[in-house]
Amino acid sequence: MSKSQPHSRKPNIGVLALQGDFEAHRSALERAGADAVEVRTAADLDSIDGLVIPGGESTTMLKLLEEENLFEPLRRFGERRPVFGTCAGAILLAKEVLNPRQPSLSLMDLTIERNAYGRQIDSRIAQIEMDGQPAEAVFIRAPVIRRVGAHAKVLAEYQNAPVLVEQGKHLAATFHPELSPQGHVHERFVSKVRDCTV
Amino acid sequence: MNFQTEQFRLKVGLAEMLKGGVIMDVVTADQARVAEQAGAAAVMALERVPADIRKEGGVARMSQIRVIRDIMSAVSIPVMAKVRIGHFTEARILEVLGVDYIDESEVLTPADEEHHIDKHDYKVPFVCGARNLGEALRRIAEGAAMIRTKGEAGSGNIVEAVRHIRTIVKEMKQLTVLGKEELVHEAKNLQAPLELVQYVAANGKLPVPNFSAGGIATPADAALVMQLGAEAVFVGSGIFKSSDPEKRAKAIVKAATYYRDPAKLLEASEELGEAMPGLEISKLESSELLQTRGW
């Protein structure tokens, strides 16, 4: 990347801060060269170029999205701008959620099953391959992607299931790149936001 | 002490996922469903809430397994359960059962007055209570992956939780301005391992998430401790001992998210019905205090 891009500015990326590990995402985004802000209201969406939906409890986030009338504003934001979801965030992005069935933003054509590896005792750090390089993936009470739509591209797999998926401007991971020192996935999202801003 | 082992990172990882959330005490599967519907980030399965333990007296132990199992199958959110301080076999039983977090808790009658559990030896993560920084760091040294203030459980009175979170935050701030040789002396005063004292001095925070518990009864209480530095809240008797648990649970969830937004806190505080009855701490006998259990 050239040092002096005349009109380049740091992308301003929001992290949905209703509940979950939004703080870890803020630091990961800043390490990847973006400005990060917490998003709790529909008005907060006006000033950001992209949005991260963090890990946490998807049921908690869903209740707050519904109670605070954020569901539709978030879906409309995702129609225009890039959204990146990890774990609970990926569950909210999917078209179809299993175990149990629950509403979602339906921004990516995925079917995802909650808590599919089991309970906390089954949480793990696994080695996966991303862009031909070995990388670690932190799975915490993680979901499993059971179906990927025709327009979605699988970027990484673990135990024969997709764990990192891209569809157009959106990105979903069933693991937590925000809890790993390597910044590849956040860098990828920041550059997607940049491409969409230009 | 190495915080970078995979096992410890996974334990702290789940605590990270609970931030900004509310962990609610429940005694039945029905209560657990109410909590989940209201937006709880996790539930704590137990036989009696602290207010009842206080009233009824007797020895308070790990819950009946059937109760915990029912709750685990009723909800999809993480389920925690309590063991007595130092009772490492109760903890082994809960680990095999598959609860997501164990609370080595002063709310139950201690099994050991000198030793807490060696929590590094477990695959399941532990949360422990603390009243000050030294106590928090001793628990972390033993392997706790989450700290919560003790407050005074079952009292419906926020004063002790405020005292404890303020103390921990103040003691952390003080370490950040000290020189290397002063930290050695502070480690001695705090009765905590030097390397943990050095970590706090360098980072201004604990190496694990820091939550608040013990006396939270209203949305305003939850927002208060979060503004003072707590990253999530535990609500024990405050919800199911109130007149309208469902509404109060929702309101406290909202307050934990919008803890810095007074207009949202007003919305959360409207038409809540009666809070649980509260106790004045100074009227309690010292033998009735739960926070002095453990060290």
Side-chain angles (χ1 to χ4, degrees), chain B residues 225-266:
Chain B
V225 288
M226 290 193 63
Q227 286 195 35
L228 290 173
E231 297 172 297
V233 294
F234 286 78
V235 185
S237 320
I239 290 170
F240 289 99
K241 284 285 158 190
S242 72
S243 64
D244 188 346
E246 207 172 323
K247 214 162 181 185
R248 188 162 292 263
K250 263 189 187 172
I252 295 178
V253 168
K254 180 166 173 154
T257 296
Y258 297 101
Y259 66 97
R260 281 182 299 219
D261 184 338
K264 294 276 192 192
L265 293 176
L266 170 62

Side-chain angles (χ1 to χ4, degrees), chain A residues 18-19 68 119 121 136, chain B residues 9 17 100 123 257 264:
Chain A
L18 299 179
Q19 192 272 320
E68 302 299 318
R119 307 193 71 95
I121 209 118
E136 72 159 33
Chain B
R9 287 176 62 202
M17 299 308 146
D100 298 294
K123 206 176 168 206
T257 296
K264 294 276 192 192

Side-chain angles (χ1 to χ4, degrees), chain A residues 18-21 23 38 40 56-57 59-60 63-64 67-68 114-115 119-121 136 141 176 179, chain B residues 9-10 13-14 16-19 37 39-41 76-78 98 100 123 250 254 257-258 260 264:
Chain A
L18 299 179
Q19 192 272 320
D21 72 335
E23 217 181 69
E38 291 178 4
R40 288 186 175 83
E57 283 308 312
T59 49
T60 303
K63 297 295 161 198
L64 285 160
E67 285 286 311
E68 302 299 318
R114 292 182 57 205
N115 299 330
R119 307 193 71 95
Q120 171 63 10
I121 209 118
E136 72 159 33
R141 286 175 46 95
H176 294 281
L179 297 183
Chain B
R9 287 176 62 202
L10 287 169
L14 180 55
E16 291 284 337
M17 299 308 146
L18 299 173
K19 281 186 177 176
Q37 280 303 312
S76 64
I77 54 179
D100 298 294
K123 206 176 168 206
K250 263 189 187 172
K254 180 166 173 154
T257 296
Y258 297 101
R260 281 182 299 219
K264 294 276 192 192

Side-chain angles (χ1 to χ4, degrees), chain B residues 23-59:
Chain B
I23 300 141
M24 302 182 190
D25 276 6
V26 296
V27 299
T28 63
D30 281 341
Q31 287 188 355
R33 278 186 282 263
V34 169
E36 183 177 48
Q37 280 303 312
V43 290
M44 177 76 72
L46 69 179
E47 241 171 37
R48 294 180 284 171
V49 293
D52 288 335
I53 292 175
R54 199 177 272 290
K55 214 181 300 167
E56 292 158 16
V59 173

